[in-house]
Amino acid sequence: MLFAGIGAEGQRRLLASRATVVGCGAIGAAAANLLVRAGVGHVTIIDRDFVEPSNLQRQTLFDESDAQDTLPKAVAAERKLLAINSSVKVRGVVADLSPGNAEKLLPDCDLILDGTDNFETRFLINDFAMKAGLPWIYAAGVSSYGLTMTIRPGLTACLACLVENGDSGRALEETCDTVGVLGPIVNLVASWQVAEALKILAGRTEALHDRLLSCDVWSSHMQSIRVARNPQCRACVRRDFSYLDGEAQPQITLCGRDSVQIHERSRALDLPTLAFRLRPVVQDVRQNDFLLRFRVALYEMTVFADGRAILKGSKDPAVARSLYARYLGT
Ligand SMILES: [Zn+2]
């Protein structure tokens, strides 16, 4: 409230506002932490993954016990954030944002923050935001490099203007699983992102920079570019929302190095019963309220209560399908 840019009125607005963070890896966790500490009144976190020890180097909301318990990130984040600020509402949603559930999971907010690690989900968010007229803030980081841009429908360029125009500056085709990512860059990008979020939610949109900001914390190279709207843009001009319409949504997708996600079946699984059934036939069955994990041969399968599964140890969709069918049925 002492900061002139926000003041008592801005703080009151923050408390009445609703932000949704999609993806709770390094950027999402850092952003959710800053939003909750700033007193944003309703924060929803959507994430499909669980905490692993290798996340802790950069994902500042989690600790060793979360990894030990293989808690879903959305659940661990909700617990931590409520312990940080009990006067705001925090909701963790364990789900994979997809064309099938985007219109159900995303509408209940004033702003969406990108904490994802892939362009498919970002284009889905972009389509949804353009259709609904909601602002969202793109953010990404890999290696020592990161960038962010605030997108306001009809006022600024959108992600499709930026990327589908072949003018992305630098493609982020490398992933954190192949080249790693430094903690400082993702926390820097999240800080930029949340500063923009506070301007929007506090009603101070005149302070927005409307630029694509990028930075490499290793070379100390920084860039700020104005991105023009594409007058032919598929998404924000022609309103062709092909990602939201879910054309060709793959049912098995690569997720990280040597892992695939199986999400062709949405169904409620009874995890304790499944654990009981699997114990005699597979190794290392572990189960908590949210997921079940087991090993079989060289593979590790993690199954969520909504029927989704992540298979580690193979990139082959056929192997994933076969193991899923063999141990979880169809
Ligand atoms: Zn556009």
Side-chain angles (χ1 to χ4, degrees), residues 126 130 156-162 229-230 233-237:
N126 190 67
M130 293 309 112
T156 67
C158 79
L159 187 68
C161 292
L162 176 70
R229 290 190 69 188
N230 172 5
C233 178
R234 166 190 64 81
C236 70
V237 178

Side-chain angles (χ1 to χ4, degrees), residues 21 24 27-37 43 45 61 77 81 194:
V21 180
C24 197
I27 291 176
N33 190 357
L34 290 168
L35 291 169
V36 162
R37 287 179 193 271
V43 176
I45 295 135
L61 213 46
L81 294 167
V194 172

Side-chain angles (χ1 to χ4, degrees), residues 1-326:
M1 283 189 278
L2 291 177
F3 175 66
I6 292 180
E9 167 64 13
Q11 188 66 54
R12 203 184 50 71
R13 284 186 180 214
L14 291 182
L15 195 57
S17 66
R18 300 163 303 163
T20 294
V21 180
V22 182
C24 197
I27 291 176
N33 190 357
L34 290 168
L35 291 169
V36 162
R37 287 179 193 271
V40 171
H42 304 259
V43 176
T44 299
I45 295 135
I46 303 170
D47 192 278
R48 65 184 182 187
D49 222 336
F50 50 88
V51 182
E52 294 180 272
S54 65
N55 300 150
L56 302 180
Q57 156 262 2
R58 60 191 183 279
Q59 301 187 10
T60 52
L61 213 46
F62 309 126
D63 59 39
E64 289 181 352
S65 69
D66 300 323
Q68 180 72 35
D69 298 342
T70 53
L71 280 185
K73 291 180 181 178
V75 172
E78 182 188 291
R79 290 181 186 170
K80 292 278 157 55
L81 294 167
L82 284 172
I84 288 165
N85 186 352
S86 59
S87 62
V88 300
K89 296 218 160 38
V90 178
R91 195 166 60 102
V93 179
V94 184
D96 181 28
L97 189 73
S98 68
N101 62 20
E103 309 230 33
K104 182 170 145 251
L105 295 178
L106 292 178
D108 188 28
C109 70
D110 305 307
L111 172 69
I112 301 166
L113 289 90
D114 173 19
T116 70
D117 58 359
N118 65 86
F119 271 103
E120 189 164 322
T121 313
R122 288 191 181 107
F123 276 119
L124 176 62
I125 294 171
N126 190 67
D127 275 7
F128 176 83
M130 293 309 112
K131 190 175 179 186
L134 274 184
W136 75 282
I137 310 177
Y138 165 44
V142 67
S143 184
S144 55
Y145 173 80
L147 47 76
T148 180
M149 185 170 93
T150 301
I151 294 168
R152 291 186 292 157
L155 297 171
T156 67
C158 79
L159 187 68
C161 292
L162 176 70
V163 177
E164 292 179 2
N165 212 13
D167 187 29
S168 59
R170 174 170 165 175
L172 288 173
E173 281 159 6
E174 299 160 317
T175 76
C176 300
D177 289 294
T178 56
V179 297
V181 60
L182 291 179
I185 187 60
V186 276
N187 283 275
L188 174 61
V189 166
S191 294
W192 267 338
Q193 186 188 34
V194 172
E196 292 282 283
L198 297 181
K199 294 172 196 175
I200 291 175
L201 298 175
R204 298 299 188 123
T205 51
E206 72 279 3
L208 292 166
H209 55 68
D210 284 339
R211 301 177 81 87
L212 174 70
L213 294 181
S214 65
C215 178
D216 186 318
V217 289
W218 208 249
S219 68
S220 298
H221 182 69
M222 296 180 76
Q223 231 182 356
S224 161
I225 345 173
R226 190 165 290 283
V227 179
R229 290 190 69 188
N230 172 5
Q232 307 297 325
C233 178
R234 166 190 64 81
C236 70
V237 178
R238 302 202 325 260
R239 300 184 71 76
D240 164 8
F241 303 125
S242 49
Y243 285 83
L244 191 59
D245 295 339
E247 290 161 14
Q249 159 81 357
Q251 297 173 327
I252 295 193
T253 47
L254 284 178
C255 85
R257 182 181 53 200
D258 222 18
S259 298
V260 286
Q261 181 179 216
I262 306 140
H263 42 97
E264 54 197 317
R265 288 174 204 88
S266 180
R267 56 182 182 150
L269 288 176
D270 178 352
L271 297 179
T273 305
L274 189 60
F276 179 77
R277 221 179 64 209
L278 286 172
R279 268 196 188 97
V281 288
V282 299
Q283 292 92 52
D284 295 340
V285 178
R286 295 172 58 192
Q287 180 229 326
N288 62 26
D289 288 346
F290 316 99
L291 54 81
L292 179 151
R293 175 181 286 175
F294 60 90
R295 282 178 194 284
V296 55
L298 302 169
Y299 310 109
E300 181 185 87
M301 178 88 89
T302 304
V303 187
F304 293 84
D306 64 359
R308 197 161 51 82
I310 292 175
L311 178 74
K312 249 189 176 175
S314 175
K315 279 184 184 170
D316 184 349
V319 171
R321 227 176 230 126
S322 145
L323 287 171
Y324 190 97
R326 196 179 317 162

